[in-house]
Coordinates of all heavy atoms in Angstrom, one line a residue:
N1 N 32.2 107.4 63.0 CA 31.6 107.1 61.7 C 30.8 108.3 61.2 O 30.7 108.5 60.0 CB 30.7 105.9 61.8 CG 31.5 104.6 62.0 OD1 32.7 104.5 61.8 ND2 30.8 103.6 62.5
K2 N 30.2 109.0 62.1 CA 29.4 110.2 61.7 C 30.3 111.3 61.1 O 30.0 112.0 60.2 CB 28.6 110.7 62.9 CG 27.4 109.9 63.3 CD 26.7 110.5 64.5 CE 25.5 109.6 64.8 NZ 24.8 110.1 66.0
I3 N 31.5 111.4 61.7 CA 32.5 112.4 61.2 C 32.9 112.0 59.8 O 33.0 112.9 58.9 CB 33.7 112.5 62.1 CG1 33.3 113.1 63.5 CG2 34.8 113.3 61.5 CD1 34.4 113.0 64.5
I4 N 33.1 110.7 59.5 CA 33.5 110.3 58.2 C 32.4 110.6 57.2 O 32.6 111.0 56.1 CB 33.8 108.8 58.2 CG1 35.1 108.5 59.0 CG2 33.9 108.2 56.8 CD1 35.4 107.1 59.2
I5 N 31.1 110.4 57.6 CA 30.0 110.7 56.7 C 29.9 112.2 56.5 O 29.7 112.6 55.3 CB 28.7 110.2 57.4 CG1 28.6 108.6 57.4 CG2 27.4 110.7 56.6 CD1 27.5 108.0 58.2
K6 N 30.1 113.0 57.5 CA 30.1 114.4 57.3 C 31.2 114.9 56.4 O 31.0 115.8 55.5 CB 30.3 115.1 58.7 CG 30.2 116.6 58.7 CD 28.9 117.2 58.1 CE 27.8 116.9 59.1 NZ 26.5 117.5 58.6
M7 N 32.4 114.3 56.5 CA 33.4 114.6 55.5 C 33.0 114.3 54.1 O 33.3 115.1 53.2 CB 34.7 113.9 55.9 CG 35.4 114.3 57.2 SD 36.2 115.9 57.0 CE 37.7 115.5 56.1
A8 N 32.4 113.2 53.9 CA 31.9 112.8 52.6 C 30.9 113.7 52.0 O 30.9 114.1 50.8 CB 31.4 111.3 52.6
E9 N 30.0 114.2 52.9 CA 29.0 115.2 52.5 C 29.7 116.5 52.1 O 29.2 117.2 51.2 CB 28.0 115.4 53.6 CG 27.1 114.2 53.9 CD 26.3 114.4 55.2 OE1 26.6 115.4 55.9 OE2 25.4 113.6 55.4
K10 N 30.8 116.8 52.7 CA 31.5 118.0 52.3 C 32.4 117.8 51.1 O 33.0 118.8 50.5 CB 32.4 118.5 53.5 CG 31.6 118.9 54.7 CD 32.5 119.3 55.9 CE 31.7 119.7 57.1 NZ 31.1 121.0 56.9
G11 N 32.5 116.6 50.6 CA 33.3 116.3 49.4 C 34.7 115.7 49.6 O 35.5 115.7 48.7
V12 N 34.9 115.1 50.8 CA 36.2 114.5 51.1 C 36.0 113.0 51.5 O 35.3 112.8 52.5 CB 36.9 115.2 52.2 CG1 38.3 114.5 52.5 CG2 37.2 116.7 51.8
A13 N 36.5 112.1 50.8 CA 36.4 110.7 51.1 C 37.5 110.3 52.1 O 38.7 110.6 51.9 CB 36.6 109.8 49.8
C14 N 37.1 109.7 53.2 CA 38.0 109.2 54.2 C 37.9 107.7 54.4 O 37.0 107.1 53.7 CB 37.7 109.9 55.6 SG 38.0 111.7 55.5
N15 N 38.6 107.1 55.2 CA 38.6 105.7 55.4 C 39.0 105.3 56.8 O 39.3 106.2 57.6 CB 39.6 105.0 54.4 CG 39.2 103.7 54.0 OD1 38.6 102.9 54.7 ND2 39.5 103.3 52.7
V16 N 39.0 104.0 57.2 CA 39.4 103.5 58.5 C 40.4 102.4 58.2 O 40.1 101.5 57.4 CB 38.2 103.0 59.3 CG1 38.7 102.3 60.6 CG2 37.2 104.1 59.6
H17 N 41.5 102.5 58.9 CA 42.5 101.4 58.8 C 43.0 101.0 60.2 O 43.7 101.7 60.8 CB 43.8 101.9 58.1 CG 43.6 102.2 56.6 ND1 43.0 103.4 56.2 CD2 43.8 101.5 55.5 CE1 42.9 103.4 54.8 NE2 43.4 102.2 54.4
Y18 N 42.5 99.9 60.7 CA 41.6 98.9 60.1 C 40.7 98.5 61.2 O 41.0 98.7 62.4 CB 42.4 97.6 59.7 CG 43.3 97.8 58.5 CD1 44.7 98.0 58.6 CD2 42.8 97.8 57.2 CE1 45.5 98.2 57.5 CE2 43.6 98.0 56.1 CZ 44.9 98.1 56.3 OH 45.7 98.3 55.2
K19 N 39.6 97.8 60.9 CA 38.9 97.0 61.9 C 39.7 95.9 62.3 O 40.2 95.1 61.4 CB 37.5 96.6 61.3 CG 36.7 95.8 62.3 CD 35.4 95.3 61.7 CE 34.4 96.4 61.6 NZ 33.0 95.9 61.3
P20 N 40.0 95.7 63.6 CA 40.9 94.6 64.0 C 40.4 93.2 63.6 O 39.2 93.0 63.5 CB 40.9 94.7 65.5 CG 40.6 96.2 65.8 CD 39.7 96.6 64.7
L21 N 41.3 92.3 63.3 CA 40.9 91.0 62.7 C 40.0 90.3 63.6 O 39.1 89.6 63.1 CB 42.2 90.2 62.4 CG 43.1 90.7 61.4 CD1 44.3 89.7 61.1 CD2 42.4 91.0 60.1
P22 N 40.1 90.3 65.0 CA 39.2 89.5 65.8 C 37.8 90.0 65.7 O 36.9 89.3 66.2 CB 39.8 89.7 67.2 CG 41.2 90.1 67.0 CD 41.2 90.9 65.8
M23 N 37.5 91.2 65.1 CA 36.1 91.6 64.9 C 35.5 91.1 63.6 O 34.3 91.3 63.4 CB 36.1 93.2 64.9 CG 36.5 93.8 66.2 SD 36.6 95.6 66.1 CE 34.8 96.0 66.0
M24 N 36.3 90.5 62.8 CA 35.9 90.0 61.5 C 35.3 88.6 61.6 O 35.9 87.7 62.4 CB 37.0 90.0 60.5 CG 37.6 91.3 60.2 SD 36.5 92.4 59.4 CE 37.6 93.8 59.0
T25 N 34.3 88.3 60.9 CA 33.6 87.0 61.0 C 34.5 85.8 60.8 O 34.5 84.8 61.5 CB 32.5 86.9 59.9 OG1 31.5 87.9 60.1 CG2 31.8 85.5 60.0
A26 N 35.4 85.9 59.8 CA 36.3 84.8 59.5 C 37.2 84.4 60.7 O 37.4 83.2 61.0 CB 37.2 85.1 58.3

């Protein structure tokens, strides 16, 4: 997550695909 934030600070938007479904509240 810190690497993703660092990339954003440098001007590059990244993402995560995906948080596994069993980690989701629903």
Side-chain angles (χ1 to χ4, degrees):
N1 292 342
K2 288 179 179 178
I3 293 170
I4 291 174
I5 292 170
K6 181 59 67 176
M7 289 287 284
E9 291 172 349
K10 293 176 181 292
V12 180
C14 298
N15 212 326
V16 172
H17 292 81
Y18 291 100
K19 180 181 282 190
L21 295 184
M23 296 178 68
M24 301 293 191
T25 300

